[in-house]
């Protein structure tokens, strides 16, 4: 058990069976009354943000989370199966755990970062930049330039991003998956 004096940004707490990460905190001494600790917490699983005030010296349950490299193997229609690269264990996860915004960029063999609580993977983070092939886009025409405009392109995972006019079907491109944004052609 820790106390509010042990608070630090990035620390993970267990409050009522839910995991929260401290984004920000401040010790506050009002003119009259006891010292309090104001904090902003983020739910580890859902990403929801909560502002909470603790009494100074209040005991809290600190949780240690571990980051572990995992590799995406396949989907069986119900679960997405990952392999722990340290123990070679199969880790089946539901799509809700991974998140719809990440699933559209998930590709077999992709190295990911698994957030582990105890022995259970509770969250998966894909790399920020992914390299994928374009499966469908309008053909480029002579004279199209890098500054001319953009067109939609469907990637091998099914995601659709805007690409410059000169990019053609079958090419590999790098995409920032957080912003659904084309970065460059892959080398």
């Amino acid at each position: 058990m820790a106390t509010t004096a042990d608070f630090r940004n990035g620390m993970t707490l267990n409050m009522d069976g839910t995991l929260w990460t401290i984004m920000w905190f401040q010790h506050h001494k009002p003119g009259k009354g006891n010292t309090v600790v104001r904090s902003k917490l983020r739910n580890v699983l859902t990403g929801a943000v909560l502002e909470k005030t603790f009494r100074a010296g209040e005991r809290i349950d600190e949780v240690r989370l571990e980051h572990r490299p995992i590799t995406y193997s396949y989907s069986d229609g119900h679960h997405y199966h990952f392999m722990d690269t340290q123990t070679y264990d199969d880790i089946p996860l539901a799509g809700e755990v991974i998140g719809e915004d990440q699933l559209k960029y998930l590709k077999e063999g992709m190295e990911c970062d698994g957030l582990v609580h105890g022995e259970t993977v509770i969250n998966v983070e894909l790399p920020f930049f992914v390299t994928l092939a374009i499966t469908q886009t309008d053909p480029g025409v002579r004279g199209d330039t890098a500054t001319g405009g953009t067109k939609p392109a469907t990637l091998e995972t099914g995601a659709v991003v805007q690409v410059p006019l000169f990019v053609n079907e079958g090419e590999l491109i790098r995409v920032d998956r957080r912003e659904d944004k084309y970065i460059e052609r892959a080398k």
Side-chain angles (χ1 to χ4, degrees):
M1 290 293 255
T3 66
T4 56
D6 300 321
F7 273 14
R8 63 189 180 284
N9 290 336
M11 182 178 188
T12 304
L13 313 174
N14 183 355
M15 295 184 341
D16 302 324
T18 306
L19 298 179
W20 299 87
T21 299
I22 298 174
M23 297 170 50
W24 170 87
F25 71 96
Q26 177 185 34
H27 290 271
H28 178 69
K29 173 70 173 133
K32 133 180 163 182
N34 294 331
T35 301
V36 294
V37 179
R38 295 180 180 155
S39 64
K40 190 177 280 191
L41 309 171
R42 177 184 293 129
N43 188 311
V44 172
L45 300 176
T46 65
V49 176
L50 168 73
E51 291 188 16
K52 181 162 174 59
T53 303
F54 296 91
R55 293 184 312 274
E58 185 175 336
R59 292 202 168 277
I60 48 137
D61 187 14
E62 181 181 4
V63 175
R64 300 284 180 180
L65 297 179
E66 178 184 338
H67 290 271
R68 194 178 294 171
I70 58 177
T71 303
Y72 175 60
S73 299
Y74 65 95
S75 172
D76 63 7
H78 300 290
H79 290 92
Y80 296 87
H81 292 264
F82 292 82
M83 180 185 68
D84 186 329
T85 57
Q86 295 174 350
T87 62
Y88 302 108
D89 289 338
D90 180 52
I91 305 166
L93 296 174
E96 296 83 37
V97 173
I98 302 164
E100 195 63 40
D101 59 327
Q102 294 191 111
L103 282 176
K104 62 184 176 184
Y105 293 107
L106 191 59
K107 177 181 167 183
E108 287 185 11
M110 182 177 281
E111 294 286 326
C112 303
D113 186 37
L115 189 61
V116 181
H117 174 49
E119 289 300 317
T120 307
V121 176
I122 59 172
N123 202 348
V124 174
E125 184 74 29
L126 271 64
F128 294 145
F129 302 101
V130 294
T131 301
L132 298 168
I134 297 175
T135 57
Q136 194 281 319
T137 189
D138 295 333
V141 179
R142 182 175 168 87
D144 288 342
T145 63
T147 59
T150 60
K151 61 184 177 181
T154 304
L155 304 176
E156 62 185 298
T157 59
V160 177
V161 295
Q162 293 292 320
V163 297
L165 295 172
F166 62 83
V167 176
N168 294 313
E169 204 169 289
E171 291 187 44
L172 290 175
I173 60 169
R174 283 178 43 95
V175 176
D176 183 345
R177 68 156 183 84
R178 298 167 296 181
E179 299 178 11
D180 296 325
K181 186 176 176 185
Y182 165 86
I183 302 295
E184 65 184 355
R185 287 182 185 172
K187 293 158 178 77

